[in-house]
Amino acid sequence: MSMDEFENEGQPRGSPRRIISPDDYEDRIGSIEPMAFLPVGSGLSYGDGRRNDSGTLIECGRHNRILAFDPGTGILTCEAGVTLGDILARAVPHRFFLPVTPATALVTVGGAVANDVHGGNHHGRGSFGNHVRRLTLLRSAGERMVCSPEENAELFAATIGGMGLTGLILDVELRLMKVPSPHVQRHTIRFENLDQYFTLVDRAGEEHEYVAAWVDQLATGRRTGRGVLWAADHADGACEFPDIPKRLKLSVPFSPPVNLLNSVTLRAWNEYRFRKQSPGETVSTVKWTTYFHPLDGINGWNRLYGRRGLCQHQSVYPAANAPETTARLLETARRMGHATVQTRLQRFGDVAASGLLSFPRPGFSLTLDFADHGETTIKLLDALDRIVVEAGGAISPCGDFRMSPEAFDASFPSWRRLEALRDPAMASNFWRRTALALRAG
Ligand SMILES: Cc1cc2nc3c(=O)[nH]c(=O)nc-3n(C[C@H](O)[C@H](O)[C@H](O)COP(=O)(O)OP(=O)(O)OC[C@H]3O[C@@H](n4cnc5c(N)ncnc54)[C@H](O)[C@@H]3O)c2cc1C
C-alpha cells in the first residue's frame, strides 16, 4: 500500500503526479532535463524524500524480477522493484532470511537501499546497505555503472542512503542470512521506567539477534519511560509453524470522522498494553510475519490516524546522553499536547554504515508516531529537532517533510559530497528544501 494512494483520498500532503516506467525513462535518455525525475518504489516513506512535485516519478515497482538465487550461498540478485516480501517468499523455504528487515515487507529493494533501512538487529548486523554486494545504477547520461565497495566505490556509498538522487538503481545483489527457522522465539520483558530499560538493553543486545522496545510516552513521575522490551532470535528448526503462514487480511475502509487516537484513549490503551505483560520475563514462539511485519496484514492502517494522517519523528543520539535525551523528547511531546500512538526505542550498534548519508549510526534511536494536528505538530517536531541536534544526534529524513536546512546540515554534514555525485536529472522535494536551500545560501 503506497502512502500516495492514501494521501490521494483527501490527505493534505498529496497531489497528483506524473509517473513513467523505468523503460520510458531509459528511452528519454539524451533529452533529459535537470532535476526533472525521481525514482519511487512502493511509496511507503512517510516524508517528501520520495516526491518531486515539479517533476516526474519513475515507478520502479514495475521491474520486479528475481534474477538469480543460489540456495547454497544465499546470494540473491534482483531488479530494484522486487519487494522484501518477494525475497522472503523465495528464500524462506531454503532457510534463508533477509539479514535486515524493516517493519514492513512491502518496501522495494530500491527503496530499502536508497533509505538504508534498518531492523531490530541493527546492534549486530548494521543496516540494509551493509548486506549489498553490488548494484547497477543507470545515470541520466546513459551509462550503466556497476557499483560495489570495490568498483565505483564513491558512487556506491553515495547511493546507499542516497534517497534516489544518484540515479536509477536497476538491480541489486544481496547476501541473505542462513536461519534455522524464519519464525522467532521471543522474550518479553516489562520495564518500570527508563533507568530499567537502559540497564536491560545492553545485555539483551549481547544475547539476542533482535531487540526493540515500546515505551509508554504518557507515563510520568517515577514511571517515566516504562514499557515493554522484546528480545528475539530465530527459533530452532523444530518450530511447528508452516514456512509461509497464511495471513488474514484486515482493512480500515475510511478515516474515522472523530479523532479516536487522543490522549484519553491512548492513556487507557497504554495502561492496558503495559499491564497485559506481567512483571518479569515470558517466552513465546511467534510467526515471522506477525513478529516482523505486523501492519502488512491490515489494508489502510494509516487511516486510523485521521484525515491529516500520520507524522513520524525518528532520531538517533549518542549513548552517552541517551537517558536524558530520551526523557526530554518524551516529555516535550507530552507537554506540547501530543500523545504518540507508537513509541519505539532501540539501540543502534557500532557497525559502520556503508552509505555516505545513512541515518543509522551508533547510539539510541527513538521513533514517535502521532496523528498530525497541523501547526501545533510542526512546532513540536521543530522542538524535538532542537533537542536532538543539541544532543549531537540526527533526524531521519525518511519520515520527514519539514526539517529545517540547519537541522539537516547538523544531522548529515556529508551532504555536499552527495550533492557533488547527484545525478543532475534527479531531485526531490526534500533535497530542494534542505540541501539545495543550503547551497543557495
Ligand atoms: C509500516 C512501515 C514500517 C516501517 N518500518 C521501518 C523500519 O523498521 N526501519 C526502517 O528503516 N524503515 C521503516 N519504514 C520506512 C521504509 O522502510 C522506507 O521508507 C523505505 O525506503 C520505503 O521503500 P519504498 O519501496 O516504499 O520506497 P519509496 O518510499 O517509494 O522511496 C524511498 C526512497 O527510495 C528511492 N528509490 C526507490 N526506488 C529506487 C530505485 N530503483 N532507484 C533509486 N532510488 C530509489 C526514492 O527516490 C526515495 O528517495 C517503514 C515504513 C512503513 C510504512
Side-chain angles (χ1 to χ4, degrees):
M1 177 200 60
S2 152
M3 292 290 162
D4 276 342
E5 282 160 26
F6 181 57
E7 285 178 24
N8 287 343
E9 289 171 32
Q11 300 303 304
R13 288 199 296 276
S15 60
R17 268 151 247 152
R18 287 181 294 277
I19 295 176
I20 60 169
S21 71
D23 294 332
D24 289 342
Y25 173 73
E26 205 165 351
D27 288 346
R28 293 182 194 195
I29 279 178
S31 60
I32 288 180
E33 288 185 14
M35 307 219 295
F37 291 93
L38 184 71
V40 67
S42 297
L44 287 171
S45 305
Y46 302 110
D48 62 356
R50 60 167 172 82
R51 291 180 50 178
N52 185 3
D53 284 357
S54 55
T56 298
L57 298 179
I58 309 163
E59 195 180 22
C60 301
R62 299 189 199 184
H63 278 190
N64 55 7
R65 287 175 305 156
I66 293 181
L67 303 171
F69 174 56
D70 180 345
T73 60
I75 308 282
L76 181 140
T77 309
C78 63
E79 290 178 328
V82 163
T83 66
L84 301 189
D86 297 333
I87 292 181
L88 288 168
R90 178 71 173 267
V92 158
H94 299 280
R95 294 287 182 270
F96 276 99
F97 208 76
L98 287 162
V100 169
T101 176
T104 169
L106 302 176
V107 307
T108 62
V109 169
V113 171
N115 271 329
D116 196 11
V117 301
H118 61 275
N121 57 355
H122 186 277
H123 58 276
R125 298 197 191 259
S127 45
F128 201 84
N130 291 111
H131 307 275
V132 174
R133 287 162 52 96
R134 52 147 214 95
L135 53 86
T136 311
L137 197 62
L138 176 64
R139 300 276 287 180
S140 58
E143 327 94 290
R144 283 171 179 250
M145 301 186 70
V146 174
C147 305
S148 72
E150 294 80 35
E151 198 175 354
N152 297 310
E154 223 191 343
L155 203 49
F156 179 75
T159 301
I160 308 280
M163 296 182 275
L165 297 165
T166 58
L168 180 64
I169 303 170
L170 296 175
D171 55 63
V172 178
E173 185 179 291
L174 294 169
R175 184 189 289 280
L176 305 184
M177 72 173 178
K178 191 83 184 157
V179 290
S181 157
H183 305 294
V184 297
Q185 189 179 60
R186 182 179 68 184
H187 300 248
T188 308
I189 308 161
R190 186 170 116 171
F191 51 91
E192 305 296 323
N193 50 45
L194 273 185
D195 286 349
Q196 275 191 16
Y197 166 81
F198 283 104
T199 309
L200 276 173
V201 70
D202 283 344
R203 208 197 66 219
E206 280 159 22
E207 293 176 358
H208 299 283
E209 173 79 25
Y210 304 100
V211 181
W214 162 75
V215 172
D216 178 355
Q217 174 253 339
L218 294 173
T220 52
R222 56 192 171 76
R223 293 181 177 148
T224 298
R226 70 177 182 176
V228 178
L229 178 137
W230 296 279
D233 300 284
H234 285 275
D236 67 34
C239 186
E240 73 276 22
F241 300 131
D243 277 355
I244 314 277
K246 282 212 168 48
R247 194 197 272 282
L248 182 65
K249 201 81 178 170
L250 304 171
S251 191
V252 179
F254 53 83
S255 296
V258 288
N259 175 16
L260 297 177
L261 304 175
N262 54 55
S263 42
V264 175
T265 55
L266 288 171
R267 199 176 293 282
W269 169 244
N270 287 359
E271 189 67 33
Y272 165 75
R273 215 172 159 187
F274 181 76
R275 298 269 163 229
K276 193 169 76 135
Q277 176 58 37
S278 44
E281 181 171 335
T282 54
V283 184
S284 54
T285 309
V286 187
K287 288 180 189 162
W288 59 270
T289 41
T290 311
Y291 182 79
F292 292 105
H293 312 125
L295 292 175
D296 289 357
I298 310 174
N299 270 331
W301 56 266
N302 46 355
R303 293 194 178 106
L304 285 174
Y305 283 81
R307 294 198 62 74
R308 284 181 190 269
L310 153 75
C311 256
Q312 183 172 87
H313 188 274
Q314 181 174 14
S315 57
V316 56
Y317 33 85
N321 55 30
E324 308 85 81
T325 308
T326 309
R328 275 185 78 195
L329 291 167
L330 295 173
E331 207 269 319
T332 302
R334 246 187 344 261
R335 191 168 33 80
M336 295 182 71
H338 282 67
T340 57
V341 179
Q342 184 59 274
T343 308
R344 287 180 302 281
L345 184 55
Q346 178 181 358
R347 174 156 208 150
F348 280 172
D350 297 334
V351 181
S354 35
L356 191 57
L357 248 65
S358 290
F359 162 71
R361 60 199 73 183
F364 281 84
S365 177
L366 182 72
T367 308
L368 304 165
D369 289 354
F370 29 70
D372 183 351
H373 300 299
E375 202 48 40
T376 57
T377 302
I378 302 289
K379 281 198 181 127
L380 167 63
L381 296 170
D382 289 345
L384 298 175
D385 286 1
R386 282 194 292 276
I387 295 170
V388 172
V389 168
E390 223 173 83
I395 299 119
S396 169
C398 181
D400 180 73
F401 59 94
R402 48 79 250 164
M403 171 192 319
S404 69
E406 294 71 30
F408 171 70
D409 194 25
S411 300
F412 299 96
S414 307
W415 66 265
R416 282 181 189 79
R417 286 169 61 202
L418 175 56
E419 173 57 12
L421 291 165
R422 180 169 62 83
D423 186 318
M426 305 299 177
S428 63
N429 290 11
F430 177 86
W431 202 249
R432 281 183 214 291
R433 70 179 169 74
T434 56
L436 299 184
L438 286 166
R439 196 188 62 176

